[in-house]
Amino acid sequence: MELSFKIFRYDPQVDREPRYEVYRVRAEATERVLDCLNRIKWEQDGSLSFRMSCGHGVCGSDAVRINGRCALACQTLVKDVAQAEEVLVEPLPSFRVLKDLVVDLEPFFEKVRWVQPYLVGGNHVPEKERLQSAEERKKLDQVIRCILCACCVASCPVTAENDRFLGPAPLVWAFRYIFDSRDREKEKRLRAVDTQDGAWGCRNHFECTRVCPKEIPVTKSINFIKREIEKVLR
Ligand code: SF4
Ligand code: SF4
Ligand code: FES
């Protein structure tokens, strides 16, 4: 089939205003939007900028907004967007555009770093590995799938209004270590997110959960953090 792609274009170095450009692409129904973007870049317009790496839903780098919904271009099939007269492809909202579909993710990664996304094992160093039961590990099963694509953050209405809000993915990473039986800083971690810009900033809109390409129960995880704060700190 032949599809029209209407793509957001903006190079702040030379353009005064963003604009949209339309490209016609031939594609199979089972191909992905990323295949179409690549074909546009290779065959029609080498100046189009977007990020990609793995091509298989692992690296999280090709998150964009497709027909108004944040998603991975490599996971979105042509047959699922072909109903639209034109497939609209835009950069993730709530982020500064560096060029075309490429946004500045640094403020996002800064917030992820802020929650200390690594295990703090304490002074006691075991002779071998730090053991964890299968049941304890199970608690982390779903959140451990996060690939830091930022789709959830870009879709969160609270993030859009308040850039101090930690946001869904950083809270998912906070969950990941708060509930890790081997971590020794649970209380400190809970105190850090016990704020209006932390866990309590989430207003249960569920947008994050709806768009997450790894099907992580994001809102539910944030609510678990809130419950744990009530249990441990109050
Ligand atoms: S559930 Fe919370 S974090 Fe997710 S989109 Fe809504 S307000 Fe944002
Ligand atoms: S929680 Fe889901 S949507 Fe958010 S960054 Fe992780 S994988 Fe992406
Ligand atoms: S290119 Fe890596 S997740 Fe899509």
Side-chain angles (χ1 to χ4, degrees), residues 152-153 155-159 165 167-169 171 199 201-209 218-220 222-223 226:
C152 55
V153 170
S155 307
C156 172
V158 180
T159 310
F165 176 46
L171 285 165
C202 168
R203 284 190 239 124
N204 284 298
H205 290 292
F206 276 90
E207 289 306 325
C208 50
T209 307
V218 184
T219 315
K220 197 170 153 196
I222 299 172
N223 287 333
K226 289 177 181 169

Side-chain angles (χ1 to χ4, degrees), residues 102-116:
V102 179
V103 295
D104 179 10
L105 286 171
E106 192 42 39
F108 166 64
F109 288 126
E110 211 174 285
K111 286 177 182 169
V112 175
R113 283 194 292 268
W114 188 83
V115 304
Q116 294 193 306

Side-chain angles (χ1 to χ4, degrees), residues 2-35:
E2 195 162 297
L3 291 167
S4 282
F5 279 83
K6 186 173 174 182
I7 302 183
F8 179 96
R9 303 297 311 267
Y10 182 47
D11 181 353
Q13 306 256 0
V14 293
D15 297 329
R16 255 203 249 151
E17 297 280 328
R19 63 197 153 86
Y20 286 85
E21 217 157 311
V22 179
Y23 303 90
R24 298 284 294 167
V25 185
R26 280 207 68 75
E28 298 297 326
T30 49
E31 283 187 294
R32 294 94 39 90
V33 167
L34 181 63
D35 298 316

Side-chain angles (χ1 to χ4, degrees), residues 108 145-152 169 172 212-214 216 218:
F108 166 64
R145 294 199 298 252
C146 176
I147 54 171
L148 292 172
C149 66
C151 282
C152 55
V172 161
C212 178
K214 305 312 273 185
I216 296 168
V218 184

Side-chain angles (χ1 to χ4, degrees), residues 17 28 31 44 55 87 100 122 127 135 146 164 181 228:
E17 297 280 328
E28 298 297 326
E31 283 187 294
Q44 299 185 40
V87 183
D100 302 336
E127 227 172 89
E135 219 167 89
C146 176
R164 290 184 317 275
S181 57
E228 202 66 7

Side-chain angles (χ1 to χ4, degrees), residues 34 52-62 72-75 147:
L34 181 63
M52 68 147 293
S53 182
C54 70
H56 293 282
V58 180
C59 71
S61 65
D62 64 338
L72 299 177
C74 67
Q75 251 185 22
I147 54 171

